[in-house]
Amino acid sequence: MWRTWSVLLAGLVGAVLLGAPAGAAPVTERAEPAGRADAVAAALRRDPVYVTDHAPRALPPDAAARIRASVARLGVPVYVVVTPVSGLGPENPSESFAALLRDRLGKDGVYIVVPPSGGGGEIRQFGGVRGLPLDDAWSAAGSETAYDAGAPEMIARFVDIALSGRARERRDHPRPKPESKVRKALDADDAADRRAGRIEWGVFAAGTALSGGSILGLLVGRRVRSARKAAAPRRPPRKSTKKSTRKARG
């Protein structure tokens, strides 16, 4: 009897240990975006601009202040979340995360979810707020902003375009994309190398000119002295006075 109960108990424990991970893993994956949405929504209740502290190198210290100043120009409630968007959803993580934030916060307005780099992300409008060409302005801002500009620059450009009255035109005919910071640094290095090369060439040319001028001066001076000697009149040879002296003595 005891042996039978031992076998049954061991089988039950084994089934629990083997079956639990298979059933729990999908729940954990589905709950992860919701857990992040709860935490970020709680932060948005205190401040409508949430900036992650996990990307200090990608964001300047005044990123939140700059974003607040930019979105305040829109004249509508705006909630901005600057956070890495990977892992927030299976297909379109930023869109699903914005919807989760709206559900958790329960407030109408414009919701912007953007990574610290500024590239990608998305914008959505909920409720009866002032109509703005959000999609066109966001698309144009992505085309007119350098790929490594950062979230504050991306949002500032978006606000400028949204208020310009030409959002669709700039979406269809974007301005030339500015150079990236890396490209500017490389161009600056190239320009410095060219300036250094010109300076080195100038010093070399000056040294060559000085040395060549010295040699040329010596040659010219020698030629002038030779010409002067050739042009000078020759003196007649002096006659000897020995014979006259002998006659005077005789």
Side-chain angles (χ1 to χ4, degrees):
M1 183 70 177
W2 171 250
R3 187 173 182 180
T4 303
W5 279 106
S6 299
V7 173
L8 291 175
L9 182 61
L12 179 61
V13 171
V16 171
L17 292 177
L18 293 176
V27 175
T28 303
E29 291 178 1
R30 289 195 298 269
E32 182 180 357
R36 293 182 65 178
D38 290 334
V40 175
L44 290 176
R45 291 188 183 96
R46 299 187 298 269
D47 188 336
V49 175
Y50 170 83
V51 176
T52 180
D53 57 357
H54 290 79
R57 296 184 179 181
L59 294 168
D62 61 343
R66 291 169 58 185
I67 292 172
R68 286 191 205 96
S70 295
V71 298
R73 299 169 53 201
L74 294 175
V76 298
V78 181
Y79 302 93
V80 180
V81 176
V82 180
T83 183
V85 298
S86 60
L88 293 177
E91 296 179 359
N92 196 339
S94 58
E95 182 175 355
S96 64
F97 194 56
L100 285 174
L101 290 175
R102 168 62 177 78
D103 292 340
R104 299 301 188 273
L105 202 58
K107 295 183 179 180
D108 293 339
V110 176
Y111 285 73
I112 300 175
V113 179
V114 61
S117 63
E122 57 95 27
I123 185 169
R124 293 190 67 181
Q125 181 173 331
F126 297 93
V129 298
R130 171 189 170 190
L132 291 169
L134 301 180
D135 293 336
D136 292 340
W138 189 256
S139 177
S143 300
E144 296 184 10
T145 306
Y147 75 90
D148 60 348
E153 290 81 0
M154 173 70 178
I155 293 174
R157 181 61 62 91
F158 154 73
V159 172
D160 289 339
I161 297 173
L163 299 177
S164 68
R166 298 186 294 111
R168 177 165 296 184
E169 176 185 348
R170 292 176 67 170
R171 182 203 65 182
D172 297 336
H173 307 284
R175 298 176 181 178
K177 184 182 286 291
E179 293 183 345
S180 64
K181 297 176 183 178
V182 175
R183 182 70 266 171
K184 290 180 179 178
L186 292 175
D187 291 343
D189 290 341
D190 291 342
D193 291 342
R194 288 193 295 270
R195 286 194 298 269
R198 287 195 295 268
I199 292 173
E200 292 177 358
W201 175 252
V203 171
F204 173 76
T208 303
L210 289 175
S211 59
S214 300
I215 297 173
L216 181 61
L218 291 175
L219 294 176
V220 171
R222 185 174 181 181
R223 186 67 178 270
V224 169
R225 287 193 297 272
S226 299
R228 287 177 178 176
K229 288 181 180 180
R234 297 182 178 180
R235 296 179 180 179
R238 297 178 63 183
K239 296 181 179 181
S240 177
T241 57
K242 292 181 178 181
K243 187 174 181 179
S244 302
T245 304
R246 288 176 182 175
K247 288 182 178 182
R249 289 179 180 178

